[in-house]
Amino acid sequence: MPVTIPDEILERMAEKFRTLGDPTRLAILRALLGGEKSVGVVVAETGQNQANVSKHLKLLAEAGMVRRRKEGLQVFYVVADPLVESLCELVCGTILREAEADVERGRKIMKSWGRRG
Amino acid sequence: MPVTIPDEILERMAEKFRTLGDPTRLAILRALLGGEKSVGVVVAETGQNQANVSKHLKLLAEAGMVRRRKEGLQVFYVVADPLVESLCELVCGTILREAEADVERGRKIMKSWGRRG
DNA sequence: GCACTAATTTACTATACGGTCAACTAGATA
DNA sequence: TATCTAGTTGACCGTATAGTAAATTAGTGC
């Protein structure tokens, strides 16, 4: 018989996906996957408002995806959950494959203009 | 130098995550991972309102995660994107491991009450 | 203490989205 | 044609959340 997943687990799964479901947060995580960075650097690399970056970083920290370290005036963040990289790689790979398929379809459509039919 | 991911790719990645970022949709997908099912069956298995299930299924279909097939009065849906299973397995596994870690921590705390210190 | 900088927080707006009920559509059956 | 059933859609409400600007906090150097 099928195993029913309790609501609480589904909610926790959904929360992780939801946390990754925003392009700005993905950009921030992408920056942080390159190593620990200060908020200022992340702001520069993402081109986003500092207040906004700060809020997203807080959200990511609360979700346990990122770790915070204060040093003088600056605050540094790193990716703390290996899941982030796995999930992003999987999804990004899929999208690139989809894009390649689109290109291929396009190629065929282009070709079809060159022959009768 | 770091490869900057274009906004459009980030948005497409975020959209996939966002689609999975809802417990009701996860419940629906969980039901459909067991094989093709009619809307009615999904409604029964998830215990959700039919209108609501129908809307979520539409959303999932538009995101390409699910395929629709009509047969007489009924409409059947299946998971169409292998990404769904991979992502859910990864996240679900992580959460279960987190839960086990919590239990282990709890065990240690319990034990600490039994000895001096 | 005062000025300066890095980051966070607050207040606000706009928008997206989930849930529900009611209306509607499509197909089967009499 | 009238009716029943399975699904979808539309209208509505409430809530959550992204973005921004302004106020605030925390640390540095004069």
Side-chain angles (χ1 to χ4, degrees):
Chain A
M1 58 181 181
V3 181
T4 319
I5 302 182
D7 287 0
E8 199 224 325
I9 301 286
L10 289 178
E11 178 50 58
R12 286 174 72 172
M13 289 178 66
E15 202 225 315
K16 285 195 192 290
F17 285 126
R18 220 181 306 132
T19 304
L20 296 176
D22 176 87
T24 302
R25 277 196 291 277
L26 289 181
I28 291 172
L29 287 170
R30 178 63 185 73
L32 293 181
L33 280 173
E36 193 189 49
K37 298 204 171 102
S38 72
V39 175
V41 171
V42 175
V43 167
E45 289 191 8
T46 59
Q48 287 282 326
N49 192 316
Q50 172 154 332
N52 201 22
V53 169
S54 183
K55 273 209 225 168
H56 281 300
L57 281 169
K58 185 185 180 186
L59 204 152
L60 288 167
E62 280 167 356
M65 294 194 177
V66 130
R67 205 183 354 261
R68 204 185 111 109
R69 181 176 69 84
K70 192 161 188 180
E71 186 180 317
L73 271 182
Q74 282 151 311
V75 176
F76 294 85
Y77 286 90
V78 225
V79 174
D81 188 344
L83 191 63
V84 172
E85 195 170 1
S86 316
L87 292 177
C88 288
E89 268 179 17
L90 248 172
V91 173
C92 193
T94 299
I95 285 173
L96 294 183
R97 246 177 291 120
E98 283 174 7
E100 279 167 24
D102 283 352
V103 169
E104 197 47 43
R105 252 192 299 284
R107 235 189 276 279
K108 280 179 187 164
I109 290 171
M110 282 300 288
K111 261 193 188 171
S112 77
W113 287 97
R115 49 182 160 78
R116 59 213 90 236
Chain B
M1 59 181 179
V3 181
T4 319
I5 303 180
D7 287 1
E8 198 224 325
I9 301 287
L10 289 178
E11 179 50 59
R12 287 174 72 172
M13 289 178 65
E15 202 224 315
K16 284 195 191 288
F17 284 127
R18 219 181 306 132
T19 304
L20 295 176
D22 177 86
T24 302
R25 278 196 291 277
L26 289 181
I28 291 172
L29 287 171
R30 177 63 185 76
L32 294 181
L33 280 173
E36 194 188 49
K37 300 207 169 97
S38 72
V39 175
V41 171
V42 176
V43 167
E45 290 191 8
T46 59
Q48 287 283 326
N49 192 315
Q50 172 155 331
N52 201 21
V53 169
S54 183
K55 275 204 215 172
H56 281 300
L57 282 169
K58 185 184 179 186
L59 204 153
L60 288 167
E62 281 167 355
M65 294 195 179
V66 132
R67 205 183 354 260
R68 206 185 110 107
R69 181 176 69 84
K70 193 161 188 179
E71 185 180 316
L73 273 182
Q74 281 151 311
V75 176
F76 294 85
Y77 286 90
V78 227
V79 174
D81 188 344
L83 191 62
V84 172
E85 195 168 0
S86 317
L87 291 177
C88 287
E89 268 179 16
L90 247 172
V91 172
C92 193
T94 298
I95 284 173
L96 295 184
R97 245 177 293 120
E98 284 173 6
E100 279 167 24
D102 284 351
V103 169
E104 197 45 44
R105 252 192 298 285
R107 233 189 277 279
K108 280 178 187 166
I109 290 170
M110 283 300 288
K111 260 191 187 171
S112 77
W113 287 98
R115 48 183 160 79
R116 59 214 90 232

